[in-house]
Amino acid sequence: MNAAECLKTRRSIRKYKADKVDHSVIDSIVSLASYSPSWKNTQITRYIAIEDSSLQNEIADRFTPDYNSNIIRQAPVLIAVSFRKGRCGYERDGSFTTKKGDHWQMFDVGAACQTFCLAAWDKGLGTVIMGVFDEDGITELLGIPEDQELGALIALGYPDVEPDAPKRKAVEELLQYR
């Protein structure tokens, strides 16, 4: 699949087959996602692949709203995406480079999540990025170190649906030339 096809056909998948995802495939996806851009090549994004259904169910039951918990309960893998804090947006002396302060870290994590999802799609796997969850509860449950912050959850598995592409805005609405 070429890049344009991958970009145009990837969808947010919210229903998965029960088929297990081989570790070598997940390793390959993370390897590809490591090529996503990051502030001064800090490469702050980290991944936890959760395959244990009891752990997934605990996250679904205790730390996410129903619309996300229903996805998590039936996805073969849940990826917790975290990032190293205090690395993006800074100069060596600790000052911020731009007025965006440390907001660059979420930009970097977002780019890494999208790269992860595109790499997964290229391997025939579906994903959906979820951002509504109890960050503190999941951080404690997974033992995410204090120098990291939970940025997103990504459900991962073989799609059991083929959603249509949502309508896209016209280029004229999205782009300006000056």
Side-chain angles (χ1 to χ4, degrees):
M1 157 180 338
N2 66 38
E5 180 183 0
C6 191
L7 289 164
K8 287 181 176 181
T9 61
R10 193 213 67 82
R11 302 283 173 269
S12 291
I13 302 298
R14 292 174 173 85
K15 188 171 181 189
Y16 300 90
K17 296 177 182 175
D19 302 351
K20 183 177 171 24
V21 179
D22 191 86
H23 286 192
S24 65
V25 175
I26 299 170
D27 291 352
S28 175
I29 293 166
V30 171
S31 176
L32 289 168
S34 75
Y35 285 90
S36 66
S38 62
W39 178 274
K40 296 186 180 182
N41 197 34
T42 50
Q43 301 180 48
I44 61 167
T45 307
R46 301 294 184 268
Y47 306 89
I48 301 170
I50 305 162
E51 301 171 299
D52 180 333
S53 60
S54 64
L55 189 54
Q56 284 178 268
N57 287 335
E58 185 171 358
I59 290 169
D61 293 340
R62 295 181 54 204
F63 303 116
T64 61
D66 287 345
Y67 54 85
N68 281 343
S69 61
N70 293 332
I71 297 166
I72 292 168
R73 278 192 194 85
Q74 45 85 43
V77 183
L78 179 65
I79 304 291
V81 183
S82 65
F83 58 89
R84 301 274 316 272
K85 296 189 282 190
R87 306 275 178 157
C88 293
Y90 296 92
E91 291 299 317
R92 291 188 190 277
D93 66 4
S95 66
F96 292 121
T97 305
T98 74
K99 74 178 209 170
K100 293 202 180 338
D102 67 355
H103 289 68
W104 281 104
Q105 57 197 15
M106 285 306 291
F107 181 88
D108 285 2
V109 171
C113 285
Q114 178 67 353
T115 304
F116 182 98
C117 292
L118 291 169
W121 183 240
D122 187 53
K123 300 200 172 299
L125 292 162
T127 56
V128 65
I129 301 170
M130 295 172 279
V132 180
F133 49 79
D134 176 345
E135 184 177 334
D136 294 336
I138 295 173
T139 295
E140 184 177 334
L141 179 68
L142 297 178
I144 294 173
E146 288 202 17
D147 70 337
Q148 293 182 34
E149 185 174 319
L150 183 61
L153 300 174
I154 301 175
L156 174 71
Y158 293 97
D160 200 25
V161 291
E162 292 183 28
D164 292 329
K167 186 177 184 216
R168 298 293 180 208
K169 294 181 184 209
V171 172
E172 297 77 24
E173 188 176 344
L174 302 171
L175 175 65
Q176 295 179 17
Y177 287 100
R178 296 189 183 213

